Amino acid sequence: MKQTIKTLLTLLLAMTATETWANAPVGEGLKDAYKDYFMVGVAVNKRNVSTPEQMALVRQEFNSMTAENDMKPVSVHPAEGVWNWGGADSIANFARQSGIKLRGHCLCWHSQFSDWMFKDKKGRPVKKEVFYQRLREHIHTVVNRYKDVVYCWDVVNEAIADNVMSWPGHEGNPYRESQHWKLCGDEFIAKAFEYAHEADPNALLFYNDYNECDPGKRDRIYNMVKKMQQAGVPIHGIGMQGHYNIYGPSEKDIDDAITKYSELVKHIHVTELDIRTNTEMGGQLRFSRGEARPLAPYLQALQNDQYNRIFRIFRKHRDVIDCVTFWNLSDRDSWLGVNNHPLPFDENYKPKPVYHILRNFNPAVDNAVVKDDFKPNRWNATPHSGLWSENQPGQEYPQVNSQGYVRFRLNAPDAKSVIVSLGLGGRGGTVLRKDKDGVWTGVTEHPEDPGFHYYHLTIDGAVVNDPGTHNFFGSCRWESGMEIPAPDEAFYQLRQDVPHGNVSQVLFPSKSTGEVKTAWVYTPPTYGQATGKGAKAKQERFPVLYLQHGWGENETSWFRQGCAGLIMDNLIAEGKTKPFIIVMTYGMTNDVKFGKIGEFTAKEFETVLVDELVPYIDSHFLTKKDKWSRAMAGLSMGGFETKLITLRRPEVFGYYGLLSGGQYAPEDIKDAKQVRLIFQSCGSKERPDAIRKSTEALKAAGLPAVGYISEGTAHEFLTWRRSLREMAPLLFK
Ligand code: XIL
């Protein structure tokens, strides 16, 4: 029984889209993965640099650090003549000891500032000269103290307005109307940079802001920096804070902002990256802290996608981007609250799937050229065949190109998010993006494996089918399905030059379940024809293959997405197999829940199949009725059933087939004479070694085993179509 549970677990695991990462070497962190691109930084608090596990994580993953709060004016210089170095020193010392570079943050900001600088002892406003003197002393003192370890400073933070009202004759104020601006106009910006440059001429000096990809604010930042530079102000870099969310900014806005800023500066740092799982964005200190509940999978997928996309853009701009800093070490540390889930490490400091997406990026994907030769999804040589493996009438999407990329399109102007479950290497699907007309489009990140794929759409969390394609039963529901043309597709195509058999529905009584059940029966082209003449004329009788589907599928799966009938027609026409009947019925697998799989014995199904369906077929069709004219095979969980039933009822079936459905062990076969073929197969992307090994062992035990590996395919229907093609000629010999 233990073995049984293990096999079933392995099967089900193989059936679910497993998350396989292109693994970076163990022990390598983000900093190593990005060594040819940019430094990867993290904002830290005092706990992060004094808790051993967190210290180890920082050292493992990052090569740049920022003090989240401890170097801000309010922290180090809360009152005139009062300096608090404790927090800042502990962070600087950790950086020194760890050989991690430190970004200085920040010298001049409207928030968390040394507001006393604006007032005299009696609380009256000071003149700007007094303010400048104080600011200069502040900047000199802080910059000098950390000169040896801080390589760049955010000198001025957030001096540009978020929104500006302009109308004809009125130019709105591009600057934030802070105390600084009210006292000094934009001159305080120039002064702050000059003071910092005096204090450390070697430090790189940054202007830092949020919503920096918003085209309006971007242009205001650009204009300000340009104006300052023209006046000789030493601004060397622009800090893009990067407080984003799962819906935006768009790739284009990020790309455009980097491109525009790079006209002015040689250094761009992404200084405070985090991606909220709601619609809030930016650096305002007001935000919702989220509700304590697990993140819905579709929101997780959107976040994975957003991180993935923006890192692709960052990598593209590696010439100008020298550092990307996450704002906080883990969700637990996030200034946004743990329930915003904004970072690659979770509240237990464990890497989330998105961490692996970022670390194990594939440069080939960044540089991939997707050919623009997309055509509507269709594998069949004969259009409108009624076989449903093409788009619905008049539907242009989904489309497939010659490389196997898939392009999707959906009109849903008011939707907030659309995700297609196909794509991103099984890591959450393809996220579509909306154009200005409200039309959502997207292309899979990779070419898809050839053959048939199930998929669905998730629109704002609701799972629905794609109106462009037909539905196929899989995952216990009618799913959308589509085809990537395979190089060997001729063997399952509908051909005009080939005689065709029939697939017909049978309704048979099932006493054991009290139901009328369905089976679909493929009969070969010559079925029912009389051979011989006159009194000697008789109808030929055929052997029968009972062919089972997998866990979430049903009795329609083999002849629709499996193309079982077409495969037989083609094989028979080419003289590769003798004609036989195929019976496809429901294997009662849909109700087996993951927690209950240990209890699954296929006993009830065995009764339906062997004691009810086999006699019904034998009395209603022209069959040969002995065990050497009967085979049973199944894919995935249907293979599991096949193994159980063939071993319990050796008198019924003489040929066994497990297609991605486990293996027989030599000791399973009580009598070598009970079976004439043990066919076992899987895709090369499954566990081909298990098939090879088992086939060897069976053969060594003198059993008639044949193994087959389908090249380049996974736990999907092309593996099983090919397996049927390979198995059929070996049956009933
Ligand atoms: C945030 C810190 O993370 C919080 O702990 C603090 O309460 C407020 O400031 N833009 C910046 C950062 O430049 O300094 C801010 O950091 C986040 C927005």
Side-chain angles (χ1 to χ4, degrees), residues 1 5 8 592-593 595-603:
M1 192 54 178
I5 297 171
L8 189 50
V592 181
K593 295 279 175 312
K596 299 275 179 203
I597 46 186
E599 291 161 26
F600 184 73
T601 61
K603 273 279 183 199

Side-chain angles (χ1 to χ4, degrees), residues 258-306:
I258 297 171
T259 305
K260 182 133 198 189
Y261 294 144
S262 67
E263 291 171 19
L264 299 177
V265 293
K266 290 204 182 70
H267 305 278
I268 291 178
H269 287 192
V270 179
T271 53
E272 307 182 15
L273 182 63
D274 46 25
I275 297 184
R276 290 170 222 197
T277 49
N278 57 28
T279 51
E280 295 169 352
M281 196 181 304
Q284 300 93 327
L285 300 180
R286 289 175 60 202
F287 45 78
S288 65
R289 297 184 78 83
E291 277 176 60
R293 61 173 179 213
L295 197 57
Y298 84 98
L299 296 174
Q300 192 66 74
L302 292 174
Q303 190 190 44
N304 292 351
D305 179 73
Q306 182 71 332

Side-chain angles (χ1 to χ4, degrees), residues 43 66-69 72 105-106 109 111-112 154 157-158 208-210 241 243 271-272 274 276 282-285 287 327-328 333-336:
T66 310
E68 181 190 9
N69 288 304
K72 289 173 179 171
H105 178 83
C106 54
W109 187 20
S111 175
Q112 294 179 290
D154 291 331
N157 203 23
E158 305 179 356
N208 190 44
D209 214 331
Y210 66 86
Q241 288 191 6
H243 293 295
T271 53
E272 307 182 15
D274 46 25
R276 290 170 222 197
Q284 300 93 327
L285 300 180
F287 45 78
W327 202 246
N328 300 113
D333 298 293
S334 171
W335 69 304
L336 303 166

Side-chain angles (χ1 to χ4, degrees), residues 696-711:
E696 283 316 305
L698 291 166
K699 278 186 185 160
L703 293 164
V706 174
Y708 168 70
I709 309 298
S710 160
E711 238 359 274

Side-chain angles (χ1 to χ4, degrees), residues 465-476:
N465 282 358
D466 185 343
T469 44
H470 291 275
N471 302 333
F472 301 82
F473 203 85
S475 309
C476 304

